[in-house]
Amino acid sequence: MPTDQPVRRVVAVVVTFNRQRLLEALVARLGEVRERTPALVDVLVVDNASTDGTGEWLAGRSDVTARTLPDNRGGAGGFHAGLRWAAEETDADLVWLMDDDGLPEVECLERLLREDDLDFWGPLVVDEQDPWRLVFPIRLPGGTRVVRSLADVERAGGERQRIDDIVIPFNGVLVTRELVERIGYPREEFFIWGDDHEYRLRAERAGARIATVTDARVHHPSVGELGTPMMAGRTTYNHSPSDLKAYCMARNNTLNLREYRGWLHVLLFWAKTVWFYLLTRRDPARLALSARAAYAGLRGDFTGHRRYLR
């Protein structure tokens, strides 16, 4: 970054729920990041009403600022509350968003801050057990090619080590205050799954400059069957063994497609869903659950996921 430009103040927002051990590791890592990158001036932790002692642990910390929500509002509600907190109650220029199960490399923020012409950008998210593999496959802009290996995405980033027009939120993503003031906050009613994608789509619609920085990294546990192959490998489906995740995915993805891509894309998504649960991995009960979720979302009912909470 040119020395004649003011240092941009960064506030990290971490959303957590019942993962105290992972949160402890992340808070420790963010302490290391602050030592290396003084632009990080505060860490705000939003606790989604954890019951595993997280609240008590946070109360004893002096290196983070924490708030506990009155009930579990999922990642969507947590990031809505955290981003609002950072934008309306701090003087941050940039907000650094992350879940409790990601672990940024110590130099991650420093590398991201070298990019000074973006509004919404973030690192690669790599598998903590296999850092040569992406946790979330990336569909390269301008085509249908999906890359899953670190080597492929690094080649796509080229000498600039950056891929414009794509980012995987909210795993270590930076967002400018100016963009937040223009587009608002994540849709808290989504609870989980699709809220981050919707926020990226909203940023894209608003003309935000978006990118992935290929030599900045966050390590993350594997997410299992995300991107399960179907139709003889010609496409994939985001299957999850969790009924809660499946319900929210079907509901929220339907709404995102309707809002940002149109009804044709909604119909194509549902053609894939029917194919997947009748032919690829036969499960009529899961198909019925997905249909109920989508219908509820189209009616504006965002309460159905609660029956799957434990």
Side-chain angles (χ1 to χ4, degrees):
M1 186 187 304
T3 56
D4 60 344
Q5 290 190 1
V7 174
R8 293 175 290 177
R9 293 169 57 87
V10 181
V11 168
V13 168
V14 177
V15 176
T16 189
F17 176 66
N18 277 354
R19 290 198 283 212
Q20 183 180 334
R21 181 183 60 80
L22 292 176
L23 180 64
E24 289 177 8
L26 176 56
V27 167
R29 174 57 54 84
L30 291 175
E32 298 177 72
V33 172
R34 290 179 82 168
E35 290 181 5
R36 182 182 181 99
T37 312
L40 178 59
V41 296
D42 203 357
V43 176
L44 311 182
V45 179
V46 179
D47 175 20
N48 252 321
S50 295
T51 58
D52 65 345
T54 292
E56 293 80 1
W57 181 79
L58 285 168
R61 306 295 301 186
S62 60
D63 51 349
V64 301
T65 307
R67 285 183 180 174
T68 299
L69 299 180
D71 56 352
N72 180 11
R73 299 176 182 176
F79 282 115
H80 177 100
L83 194 51
R84 180 184 290 274
W85 180 10
E88 298 182 5
E89 301 182 45
T90 79
D91 59 356
D93 302 299
L94 298 166
V95 185
W96 197 23
L97 302 168
M98 64 194 72
D99 276 322
D100 54 11
D101 55 352
L103 197 66
E105 294 182 352
V106 175
E107 61 275 16
C108 178
L109 179 59
E110 179 184 55
R111 172 63 187 93
L112 291 174
L113 288 174
R114 292 182 204 154
E115 307 296 327
D116 60 2
D117 60 342
L118 296 169
D119 304 298
F120 193 40
W121 73 109
L124 291 179
V125 185
V126 299
D127 192 320
E128 63 181 10
Q129 298 299 321
D130 180 8
W132 301 104
R133 175 182 170 273
L134 302 184
V135 171
F136 304 105
I138 292 176
R139 176 175 280 111
L140 297 178
T144 60
R145 186 184 175 211
V146 176
V147 294
R148 294 176 172 81
S149 75
L150 184 61
D152 286 341
V153 78
E154 285 181 329
R155 278 193 292 272
E159 292 184 5
R160 197 177 184 190
Q161 297 176 311
R162 179 172 129 177
I163 303 174
D164 287 341
D165 303 321
I166 188 67
V167 73
I168 305 294
F170 291 128
N171 297 278
V173 163
L174 281 171
V175 58
T176 65
R177 170 185 290 276
E178 187 276 334
L179 180 62
V180 174
E181 290 173 347
R182 273 199 288 144
I183 70 173
Y185 308 111
R187 293 188 64 171
E188 58 184 333
E189 70 272 20
F190 273 21
F191 193 75
I192 59 169
W193 204 300
D195 54 295
D196 51 352
H197 183 53
E198 190 279 333
Y199 202 67
R200 185 191 70 78
L201 290 170
R202 205 187 321 164
E204 188 177 82
R205 177 181 280 180
R209 297 163 297 176
I210 295 169
T212 292
V213 179
T214 61
D215 59 339
R217 311 280 161 75
V218 166
H219 295 253
H220 190 285
S222 171
V223 293
E225 297 180 282
L226 184 68
T228 307
M230 61 178 290
M231 295 182 179
R234 287 189 289 272
T235 187
T236 62
Y237 190 83
N238 286 332
H239 168 73
S240 171
S242 162
D243 285 346
L244 173 64
K245 291 181 180 179
Y247 187 96
C248 291
M249 191 276 283
R251 180 189 66 195
N252 301 343
N253 196 43
T254 298
L255 294 179
N256 283 342
L257 288 171
R258 182 187 65 172
E259 174 67 20
Y260 294 98
R261 297 290 184 261
W263 280 106
L264 176 59
H265 287 267
V266 173
L267 294 174
L268 291 173
F269 167 65
W270 275 96
K272 282 180 61 174
T273 301
V274 171
W275 182 295
F276 189 86
Y277 287 120
L278 290 186
L279 299 175
T280 304
R281 186 168 299 186
R282 185 170 175 79
D283 190 343
R286 173 57 64 83
L287 179 59
L289 176 151
S290 301
R292 288 196 304 272
Y295 181 58
L298 292 171
R299 296 192 337 264
D301 178 1
F302 291 92
T303 62
H305 65 271
R306 295 176 186 168
R307 75 189 70 173
Y308 304 109
L309 294 176
R310 291 180 294 177

